[in-house]
């Protein structure tokens, strides 16, 4: 007997549901699954397997346009080249994010599960926005540096940094080598992420902010794209040159320099001249996570309406004039279009990240924190660095649960030990680091 069509359909229901879930995610997850590349080994000197791009796509790591980009570039070059840059960028995004967010309740640990997405990476949360911005930044930086290093084939050197002489007219610089091509890095990053060139067309066709975005999927893409762009644009903060002195050792009359992009904080590069000292790119990225740099988007049954902005004094005055047609602006107004400023967009409010989610993603148990009474904590409380940075205090990190004090012994070469217990010996010259015992606190 033939089964009835309906029965057949029912027996396939789990599969159908799965397909629906997957395709639903494809549209709304926002294509950060490429960070799942971090588990692979980056080897620029090896050929890529012929089915690599296809395999990444079927493992949900690449979306369709990323797989196309991958195919185009691996067809052109025999070696892994750009693929190794992508892998490197994913590794560095994870390392950077986890290192920088140690002191926050949300510590970026969920990226280790990608392409599996934690709940906060499936919707438009501040955390998802931050991951987009940070990975866009690292991707553009890595591609620009690899381009200059000759890793990526057919990638030209960048222009001489003119800002250098304009900013330090009194210093004699001699520039050498292949300069980092920041523009190329940014362009390749946009191409890989699937939105190269679209902005120019859009700009010509319509004044900013007029067209409404109707469907939710397109709205999600638009928000993700904006957040990626903020990160990619931030790479301009990291243009620098690294110099060597010539002439008698003290005078340093001529410096030979080559252009670099840095992403680990200015203080990490000795003898560097940085384009914009005031904006350390890392501080810039972390500050984006603070509430004042996040804007909530409004999407309703009419489509995308815009993003919220605090009312200014002028708005309040215009509203209080009974003759003006403007509605009263009490706390927030909705601004159509996308913000020009480097602010991140979100829609869903974040979880508190205190407790375990979906049995997989840990809360703040066993996380390190600073006792509120400690001098370091007092320093944070006294400074005006934003609300989020206070999350490292035990009272915030542990979400009201108790914490325990533990003394831990570290070997002399441990990073937490180095600052405290290293000294320079005279004879013979060497740095001697003693093991150290530190008192640490952990949430229960
Ligand atoms: C942990 O140590 C800090 C000082 O570092 C102290 O203020 C605090 O009371 C201690 N807390 C516990 C639970 O022992």
């Amino acid at each position: 007997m033939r089964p009835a069509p309906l029965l057949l359909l029912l027996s396939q229901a789990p599969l159908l549901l799965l397909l629906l879930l997957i395709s639903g995610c494809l549209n709304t997850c926002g294509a950060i699954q490429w960070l799942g590349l971090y588990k692979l080994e980056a080897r620029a000197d090896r050929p890529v397997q012929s089915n690599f791009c296809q395999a990444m796509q079927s493992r949900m790591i690449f979306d369709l346009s990323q797989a196309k980009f991958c195919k185009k570039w691996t067809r052109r070059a025999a070696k892994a080249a750009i693929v190794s840059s992508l892998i490197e960028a994913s590794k560095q995004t994870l390392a950077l994010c986890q290192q920088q967010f140690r002191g926050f309740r949300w510590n970026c640990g969920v990226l280790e599960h990608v392409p599996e997405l934690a709940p906060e990476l499936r919707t438009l949360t501040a955390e998802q926005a931050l991951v987009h911005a940070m990975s866009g930044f690292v991707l553009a930086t890595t591609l620009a540096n690899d381009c200059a290093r000759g890793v990526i084939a057919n990638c030209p050197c960048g222009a001489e940094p003119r800002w250098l002489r304009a900013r330090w007219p009194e210093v004699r610089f001699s520039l050498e080598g292949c300069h980092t091509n920041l523009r190329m890095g940014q362009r390749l990053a946009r191409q890989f992420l699937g939105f190269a060139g679209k902005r120019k067309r859009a700009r010509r066709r319509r004044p900013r902010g007029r067209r409404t975005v109707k469907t939710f999927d397109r709205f999600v893409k638009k928000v993700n794209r904006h957040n990626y762009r903020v990160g990619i644009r931030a790479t301009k903060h990291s243009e620098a040159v690294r110099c060597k002195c010539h002439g008698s050792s003290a005078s340093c009359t001529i410096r030979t320099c080559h252009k670099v992009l840095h992403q680990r904080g200015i203080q990490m590069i000795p003898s560097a001249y940085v384009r914009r000292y005031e904006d350390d790119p890392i501080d810039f990225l972390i500050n984006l996570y603070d509430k004042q740099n996040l804007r909530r988007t409004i999407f309703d049954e009419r489509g995308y309406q815009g993003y919220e902005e605090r009312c200014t004094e002028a708005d309040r005055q215009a509203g209080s004039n009974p003759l003006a047609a403007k509605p009263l602006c009490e706390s927030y107004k909705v601004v159509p279009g996308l913000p020009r400023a480097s602010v991140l967009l979100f829609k869903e409010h974040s979880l508190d990240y205190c407790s375990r989610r979906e049995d997989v993603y840990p809360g703040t148990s066993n996380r390190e924190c600073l006792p509120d009474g400690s001098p370091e904590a007092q320093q944070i409380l006294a400074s005006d660095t934003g609300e989020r940075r206070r999350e490292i205090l035990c009272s915030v990190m542990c979400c009201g649960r108790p914490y325990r004090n533990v003394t831990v012994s570290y070997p002399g070469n441990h990073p937490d030990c180095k600052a405290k217990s290293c000294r320079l010996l005279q004879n013979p010259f060497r740095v001697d680091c003693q093991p150290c015992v530190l008192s640490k606190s952990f949430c229960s």
Side-chain angles (χ1 to χ4, degrees):
M1 197 180 83
R2 273 174 55 211
L6 180 66
L7 221 63
L8 196 70
L9 198 66
L10 279 179
S11 69
Q12 301 292 324
L15 184 68
L16 279 175
L17 192 68
L18 186 71
L19 278 175
L20 259 175
L21 275 176
I22 292 173
S23 63
C25 187
L26 264 187
N27 292 330
T28 48
C29 288
I32 41 173
Q33 284 99 323
W34 69 271
L35 291 176
L37 288 173
Y38 88 95
K39 287 177 192 151
L40 305 178
E41 197 192 350
R43 289 294 300 267
D45 54 342
R46 290 225 194 110
V48 192
Q49 283 177 336
S50 60
N51 64 347
F52 174 82
C53 307
Q54 187 65 48
M56 290 302 112
Q57 193 187 346
S58 50
R59 282 166 60 184
M60 311 296 289
I61 288 179
F62 284 165
D63 66 15
L64 185 64
S65 77
Q66 288 164 350
K68 270 191 194 156
F69 176 93
C70 173
K71 279 179 197 151
K72 185 176 132 198
W73 277 86
T74 47
R75 214 185 294 121
R76 250 191 241 170
K79 303 272 168 61
I82 213 160
V83 168
S84 79
S85 304
L86 297 174
I87 296 174
E88 194 54 43
S90 65
K91 287 181 195 291
Q92 286 190 22
T93 302
L94 261 77
L96 180 67
C97 193
Q98 295 187 358
Q99 189 214 348
Q100 298 298 321
F101 279 79
R102 273 170 315 180
F104 294 74
R105 272 187 187 167
W106 185 80
N107 69 346
C108 215
V110 292
L111 287 190
E112 283 172 15
H113 295 265
V114 172
E116 233 76 67
L117 296 176
E120 67 270 23
L121 298 182
R122 271 178 244 144
T123 52
L124 298 174
T125 57
E127 289 70 31
Q128 198 209 38
L130 184 90
V131 170
H132 278 96
M134 210 172 241
S135 65
F137 172 83
V138 174
L139 182 64
T141 307
T142 308
L143 289 167
N145 282 334
D146 283 355
C147 179
R149 282 170 48 215
V151 175
I152 300 167
N154 304 321
C155 200
C157 297
E160 276 205 357
R162 264 187 276 158
W163 51 267
L164 190 62
R165 293 199 176 93
R167 192 158 173 169
W168 287 277
E170 74 286 0
V171 184
R172 279 179 67 198
F173 294 105
S174 154
L175 294 158
E176 60 176 24
C178 177
H179 295 300
T180 311
N181 194 341
L182 182 57
R183 277 173 173 278
M184 191 67 182
Q186 292 176 329
R187 190 185 311 155
L188 286 174
R190 285 194 295 263
Q191 275 174 16
F192 171 68
L193 297 170
F195 51 91
K198 284 192 177 139
R199 166 168 253 193
K200 262 188 196 143
R201 272 210 309 274
R203 211 180 246 172
R204 241 182 287 130
R205 233 193 295 131
R206 65 187 163 101
R208 219 180 167 77
R210 288 303 300 277
R211 200 176 57 181
T212 51
V213 176
K214 283 272 162 54
T215 67
F216 190 70
D217 285 356
R218 277 182 40 218
F219 158 70
V220 168
K221 283 209 176 106
K222 191 183 169 93
V223 170
N224 287 334
R225 192 168 288 188
H226 168 84
N227 294 331
Y228 263 134
R229 275 188 202 282
V230 169
I232 292 171
R233 255 189 277 143
T235 52
K236 70 169 185 283
H237 298 288
S238 55
E239 273 195 294
V241 292
R242 182 186 266 167
C243 303
K244 268 192 238 136
C245 279
H246 297 277
S248 62
S249 61
S251 66
C252 197
T253 40
I254 299 179
R255 293 165 172 81
T256 51
C257 314
H258 58 273
K259 205 163 143 189
V260 291
L261 288 177
H262 71 103
Q263 50 178 266
R264 297 204 179 270
I266 289 159
Q267 64 278 18
M268 299 294 284
I269 310 182
S271 61
Y273 288 79
V274 180
R275 184 171 190 174
R276 299 169 64 149
Y277 255 113
E278 65 277 22
D279 301 313
D280 185 304
I282 301 305
D283 279 346
F284 175 84
L285 288 171
I286 302 238
N287 286 340
L288 288 176
Y289 187 53
D290 216 89
K291 294 200 172 95
Q292 69 209 22
N293 289 319
L294 288 161
R295 300 287 183 277
R296 195 164 75 98
T297 51
I298 307 292
F299 184 92
D300 61 21
E301 66 285 351
R302 291 166 300 162
Y304 173 60
Q305 301 302 312
Y307 60 97
E308 284 182 342
E309 198 71 82
R310 252 175 216 289
C311 305
T312 61
E313 201 44 51
D315 293 328
R316 285 200 195 92
Q317 277 169 9
S320 65
N321 178 355
L323 295 177
K326 277 208 164 184
L328 193 66
C329 191
E330 270 171 358
S331 51
Y332 289 98
K333 61 184 171 182
V334 178
V335 182
L338 293 175
R340 272 169 194 278
S342 290
V343 292
L344 295 185
L345 295 177
F346 74 102
K347 179 171 184 296
E348 311 295 339
H349 286 291
S350 303
L351 308 163
D352 59 19
Y353 303 115
C354 285
S355 39
R356 208 172 171 76
R357 281 154 291 134
E358 298 190 348
D359 250 1
V360 185
Y361 308 106
T364 61
S365 296
N366 299 316
R367 292 281 309 282
E368 196 181 335
C369 61
L370 288 177
D372 290 45
S374 67
E376 293 100 319
Q378 290 302 314
Q379 226 171 13
I380 290 172
L381 281 168
S383 67
D384 185 25
T385 50
E387 219 172 298
R388 296 260 202 206
R389 300 217 191 207
R390 299 188 176 175
E391 289 182 0
I392 196 168
L393 303 187
C394 292
S395 61
V396 187
M397 180 68 82
C398 309
C399 309
R401 300 187 309 265
Y403 66 93
R404 57 185 188 279
N405 289 337
V406 184
T407 48
V408 195
S409 318
Y410 291 105
N413 59 358
H414 191 275
D416 288 352
C417 215
K418 271 184 183 157
K420 301 207 176 203
S421 65
C422 290
R423 64 201 169 105
L424 193 63
L425 296 182
Q426 292 290 332
N427 192 16
F429 268 117
R430 66 189 174 90
V431 181
D432 177 57
C433 297
Q434 294 294 323
C436 66
V437 177
L438 298 176
S439 149
K440 302 222 163 193
S441 306
F442 297 91
C443 298
S444 31

